[in-house]
Amino acid sequence: MAGWVPGVSALRSYRLRWLPKDVTAGLVLTTLLVPQGMAYAELAGLPAITGLYTSILCLIGYALFGPSRILVLGPDSSLGPMIAATILPLVGAHGDPARAVALASMLALLVGAMTTLAGVARLGFVADLLSRPTMIGYMNGLALTILVGQLPKLFGFSVQADTFVAELRGFVAGLAHGKSVPASLAVGLFGLAVILACRRWWPRIPGILVAVVSSIAAAGAFELAGHGVSTVGRLPQGFPPFTLPGVPLSDFGLLVGGAAGIAVVSLADTISTASSFAARSGQDIDGSREMIGIGVANIGAGLFQGFPVSTSGSRTAVAEQAGAKTQVTGLVGALAIAVILLVLPGLLEDLPQPTLAAVVIAAALSLADLAGARRLLRQRRVEFSLSVGAFLGVALLGVLPGIALAVALSVANVFRRVWWPHEATLGRVAGLAGYHDTRSHPEAVPLPGCVLWRFDAPLIFANTRAFRERVLALARSQPPPRWIVVAAEPITDVDTTAADMLEELDQALNAAGINLVFAEMKDPVREKIERYGLTRTIDPSHFYPTVDEAVAAFRVHAAGEGAGTPTQV
């Protein structure tokens, strides 16, 4: 059982001296979980109370099945827009909250099933579908989308819109028509200033808690409700019942598509965050077990009127700074939230909605990575372009198409590198051992009569044409070479399409009096060459373990051959 449920193993080795720190960290964490859970629930288009239900169940689920000692899961700002983009078209403009909750719960169950099955099948590599540049662009686009979506609430009015452009137009139109409520804006800006100031100058002070408590006090002292400021209102008392969400079969198409996108983002975020915190403590992570932990957390949330969850770097950092030792911290947080629901449901009754908007906006600002985008622009323009493409995809097409575009761009970038790989003509450089790229070293001296050429990719169907055309171009150079030596160490594979190309290419070169020679070819690739029967055409003696040996063999061959010029190909 301990092998399948890491929480059992953790409890068996638990030390009583850790309990005070875990309890303290859990209570500190609760001050962050409650307002963020409510804010992110509204960001997803759901009642605020569902954020608390979700927090309780996902903390318990991950504490039992998650492998990380202190990773904290819960409602997440990066998933909120994706959840809304999935369920709101199904709910409709005037749909009832109960239907929205049922759809979100089913979405959580689908995400949980996908990630759990992927973990059991050890498919942790799925999280690698999002490259760092596209993730930066996606997060920047998401931050802008969240920011614009929360501005109306910060200013005290609402906008009915489904896209970023429509939300921006609606916000500007609302301002132009005088819909802004000054008291709402004042409360929201005060909360945002407190959160950002604490984050910047006093990171040990829970800025969100200070903003929430201050705004509740201000709402009572200044009767802000009478000045047009919306508040959360009294939360339902009690714990959510076990519920199997009822969803029409016709809704599953969109739900499955949304769940797939959410699963990829959640896994990428969780595994990267888990890796970061594990490296700081000298631990290793198991990507597949992380997938199972996330899956169970989502299933638990979905069965109790919750919605999909992910990890949170900020909440995990708070738990770590507060002294958390184990997942008991999460269990204490779940218990504290349950106590609030059962005993103190009116505790947050006067919390202003603009304060929740400030919490979400602060989270959105933390998602943005403008420094990362500038670094990409400075370091590699191609990857900066990928980042911009993902950013525009989220901003202009929407969150779900944006994540699909981000994945597609990541995969396309990998394919591009294989399709048009780096290749180099090599030569000798005075004072440097070996042979070097003539573009990096213009002073490199080529070997007369012998072209040394390196192809930096596996040789597969996608790049066979590029390989063939480049070799033929080298063969047509003046004076034409006698040997073309391929430095094949970077070639990690040769597929059957490439094998056919090599056979035809060798025949064409042989007809022109040019030998195609390979050096440093890996043994597994050489075995494939022999299995394909290429050594019927390519002379088996034309495979050398090193470039130096190939060059030495060419010199012996050239000395014995004497005069003679290859023909053009």
PDB file of all heavy atoms in Angstrom, residues 1 62 144 159 187 208 256 357 368 379 465 490 510 550:
ATOM      1  N   MET A   1       0.831  -1.200   0.000  1.00  0.00           N
ATOM      2  CA  MET A   1       0.000   0.000   0.000  1.00  0.00           C
ATOM      3  C   MET A   1       0.866   1.250   0.000  1.00  0.00           C
ATOM      4  O   MET A   1       0.570   2.236  -0.688  1.00  0.00           O
ATOM      5  CB  MET A   1      -0.910   0.015   1.230  1.00  0.00           C
ATOM      6  CG  MET A   1      -1.882   1.183   1.217  1.00  0.00           C
ATOM      7  SD  MET A   1      -2.919   1.193   2.682  1.00  0.00           S
ATOM      8  CE  MET A   1      -4.496   1.479   1.948  1.00  0.00           C
ATOM      9  N   TYR A  62      -3.730  15.071  -2.701  1.00  0.00           N
ATOM     10  CA  TYR A  62      -2.299  15.089  -2.974  1.00  0.00           C
ATOM     11  C   TYR A  62      -1.493  14.653  -1.759  1.00  0.00           C
ATOM     12  O   TYR A  62      -0.438  14.019  -1.900  1.00  0.00           O
ATOM     13  CB  TYR A  62      -1.850  16.484  -3.425  1.00  0.00           C
ATOM     14  CG  TYR A  62      -0.423  16.464  -3.939  1.00  0.00           C
ATOM     15  CD1 TYR A  62      -0.145  16.077  -5.241  1.00  0.00           C
ATOM     16  CD2 TYR A  62       0.640  16.789  -3.100  1.00  0.00           C
ATOM     17  CE1 TYR A  62       1.172  16.024  -5.704  1.00  0.00           C
ATOM     18  CE2 TYR A  62       1.949  16.746  -3.552  1.00  0.00           C
ATOM     19  CZ  TYR A  62       2.215  16.359  -4.857  1.00  0.00           C
ATOM     20  OH  TYR A  62       3.507  16.290  -5.300  1.00  0.00           O
ATOM     21  N   LEU A 144      -1.996  38.854 -19.543  1.00  0.00           N
ATOM     22  CA  LEU A 144      -2.706  40.000 -20.125  1.00  0.00           C
ATOM     23  C   LEU A 144      -4.204  39.732 -20.198  1.00  0.00           C
ATOM     24  O   LEU A 144      -5.022  40.619 -19.892  1.00  0.00           O
ATOM     25  CB  LEU A 144      -2.152  40.281 -21.527  1.00  0.00           C
ATOM     26  CG  LEU A 144      -2.766  41.477 -22.254  1.00  0.00           C
ATOM     27  CD1 LEU A 144      -2.527  42.760 -21.479  1.00  0.00           C
ATOM     28  CD2 LEU A 144      -2.214  41.585 -23.677  1.00  0.00           C
ATOM     29  N   VAL A 159     -18.650  43.130 -17.454  1.00  0.00           N
ATOM     30  CA  VAL A 159     -18.664  43.119 -18.919  1.00  0.00           C
ATOM     31  C   VAL A 159     -18.993  41.705 -19.367  1.00  0.00           C
ATOM     32  O   VAL A 159     -18.399  40.736 -18.877  1.00  0.00           O
ATOM     33  CB  VAL A 159     -17.293  43.549 -19.484  1.00  0.00           C
ATOM     34  CG1 VAL A 159     -17.230  43.304 -20.985  1.00  0.00           C
ATOM     35  CG2 VAL A 159     -17.017  45.005 -19.178  1.00  0.00           C
ATOM     36  N   VAL A 187     -10.973  50.687  -3.166  1.00  0.00           N
ATOM     37  CA  VAL A 187     -10.739  49.467  -2.382  1.00  0.00           C
ATOM     38  C   VAL A 187      -9.835  48.506  -3.151  1.00  0.00           C
ATOM     39  O   VAL A 187      -8.890  47.923  -2.602  1.00  0.00           O
ATOM     40  CB  VAL A 187     -12.075  48.790  -2.025  1.00  0.00           C
ATOM     41  CG1 VAL A 187     -11.833  47.413  -1.421  1.00  0.00           C
ATOM     42  CG2 VAL A 187     -12.862  49.648  -1.054  1.00  0.00           C
ATOM     43  N   ILE A 208      -1.656  39.247   0.967  1.00  0.00           N
ATOM     44  CA  ILE A 208      -3.059  38.951   0.636  1.00  0.00           C
ATOM     45  C   ILE A 208      -3.915  38.977   1.896  1.00  0.00           C
ATOM     46  O   ILE A 208      -5.023  39.530   1.898  1.00  0.00           O
ATOM     47  CB  ILE A 208      -3.154  37.583  -0.069  1.00  0.00           C
ATOM     48  CG1 ILE A 208      -2.491  37.666  -1.445  1.00  0.00           C
ATOM     49  CG2 ILE A 208      -4.607  37.141  -0.205  1.00  0.00           C
ATOM     50  CD1 ILE A 208      -2.478  36.365  -2.202  1.00  0.00           C
ATOM     51  N   VAL A 256     -13.733  17.304 -23.067  1.00  0.00           N
ATOM     52  CA  VAL A 256     -12.535  16.472 -23.251  1.00  0.00           C
ATOM     53  C   VAL A 256     -11.406  17.310 -23.841  1.00  0.00           C
ATOM     54  O   VAL A 256     -10.242  17.207 -23.415  1.00  0.00           O
ATOM     55  CB  VAL A 256     -12.846  15.259 -24.150  1.00  0.00           C
ATOM     56  CG1 VAL A 256     -11.563  14.543 -24.560  1.00  0.00           C
ATOM     57  CG2 VAL A 256     -13.770  14.291 -23.422  1.00  0.00           C
ATOM     58  N   ALA A 357     -10.620  40.802  -7.047  1.00  0.00           N
ATOM     59  CA  ALA A 357     -10.038  41.165  -8.346  1.00  0.00           C
ATOM     60  C   ALA A 357      -8.566  41.548  -8.181  1.00  0.00           C
ATOM     61  O   ALA A 357      -7.722  41.198  -9.016  1.00  0.00           O
ATOM     62  CB  ALA A 357     -10.824  42.321  -8.963  1.00  0.00           C
ATOM     63  N   ALA A 368       3.370  36.804 -15.599  1.00  0.00           N
ATOM     64  CA  ALA A 368       4.079  37.422 -16.715  1.00  0.00           C
ATOM     65  C   ALA A 368       5.591  37.312 -16.521  1.00  0.00           C
ATOM     66  O   ALA A 368       6.104  37.457 -15.416  1.00  0.00           O
ATOM     67  CB  ALA A 368       3.665  38.884 -16.858  1.00  0.00           C
ATOM     68  N   GLN A 379      18.922  36.601 -27.016  1.00  0.00           N
ATOM     69  CA  GLN A 379      19.716  35.398 -27.180  1.00  0.00           C
ATOM     70  C   GLN A 379      19.406  34.634 -28.466  1.00  0.00           C
ATOM     71  O   GLN A 379      20.306  34.123 -29.122  1.00  0.00           O
ATOM     72  CB  GLN A 379      19.501  34.465 -25.970  1.00  0.00           C
ATOM     73  CG  GLN A 379      20.036  35.033 -24.662  1.00  0.00           C
ATOM     74  CD  GLN A 379      19.734  34.125 -23.481  1.00  0.00           C
ATOM     75  OE1 GLN A 379      18.884  33.228 -23.568  1.00  0.00           O
ATOM     76  NE2 GLN A 379      20.415  34.351 -22.377  1.00  0.00           N
ATOM     77  N   ARG A 465      16.157  15.142 -48.180  1.00  0.00           N
ATOM     78  CA  ARG A 465      16.375  16.019 -49.327  1.00  0.00           C
ATOM     79  C   ARG A 465      17.464  17.049 -49.025  1.00  0.00           C
ATOM     80  O   ARG A 465      18.335  17.314 -49.853  1.00  0.00           O
ATOM     81  CB  ARG A 465      15.076  16.714 -49.724  1.00  0.00           C
ATOM     82  CG  ARG A 465      15.215  17.597 -50.968  1.00  0.00           C
ATOM     83  CD  ARG A 465      13.855  18.137 -51.395  1.00  0.00           C
ATOM     84  NE  ARG A 465      13.263  18.971 -50.365  1.00  0.00           N
ATOM     85  CZ  ARG A 465      13.545  20.273 -50.212  1.00  0.00           C
ATOM     86  NH1 ARG A 465      14.422  20.859 -51.012  1.00  0.00           N
ATOM     87  NH2 ARG A 465      12.962  20.972 -49.260  1.00  0.00           N
ATOM     88  N   PRO A 490      27.024  13.154 -34.827  1.00  0.00           N
ATOM     89  CA  PRO A 490      25.712  13.669 -34.401  1.00  0.00           C
ATOM     90  C   PRO A 490      24.525  12.910 -34.998  1.00  0.00           C
ATOM     91  O   PRO A 490      23.386  13.137 -34.581  1.00  0.00           O
ATOM     92  CB  PRO A 490      25.723  15.122 -34.903  1.00  0.00           C
ATOM     93  CG  PRO A 490      27.149  15.440 -35.213  1.00  0.00           C
ATOM     94  CD  PRO A 490      27.746  14.148 -35.632  1.00  0.00           C
ATOM     95  N   ASN A 510      29.695   7.731 -56.919  1.00  0.00           N
ATOM     96  CA  ASN A 510      30.645   6.765 -57.467  1.00  0.00           C
ATOM     97  C   ASN A 510      30.790   6.936 -58.982  1.00  0.00           C
ATOM     98  O   ASN A 510      31.893   6.824 -59.538  1.00  0.00           O
ATOM     99  CB  ASN A 510      30.197   5.336 -57.155  1.00  0.00           C
ATOM    100  CG  ASN A 510      30.388   4.992 -55.685  1.00  0.00           C
ATOM    101  OD1 ASN A 510      31.155   5.635 -54.987  1.00  0.00           O
ATOM    102  ND2 ASN A 510      29.681   3.955 -55.225  1.00  0.00           N
ATOM    103  N   ALA A 550      39.991   8.703 -41.025  1.00  0.00           N
ATOM    104  CA  ALA A 550      39.463   8.891 -42.381  1.00  0.00           C
ATOM    105  C   ALA A 550      40.399   9.782 -43.202  1.00  0.00           C
ATOM    106  O   ALA A 550      40.662   9.514 -44.380  1.00  0.00           O
ATOM    107  CB  ALA A 550      38.059   9.500 -42.309  1.00  0.00           C
TER     108      ALA A 550
END
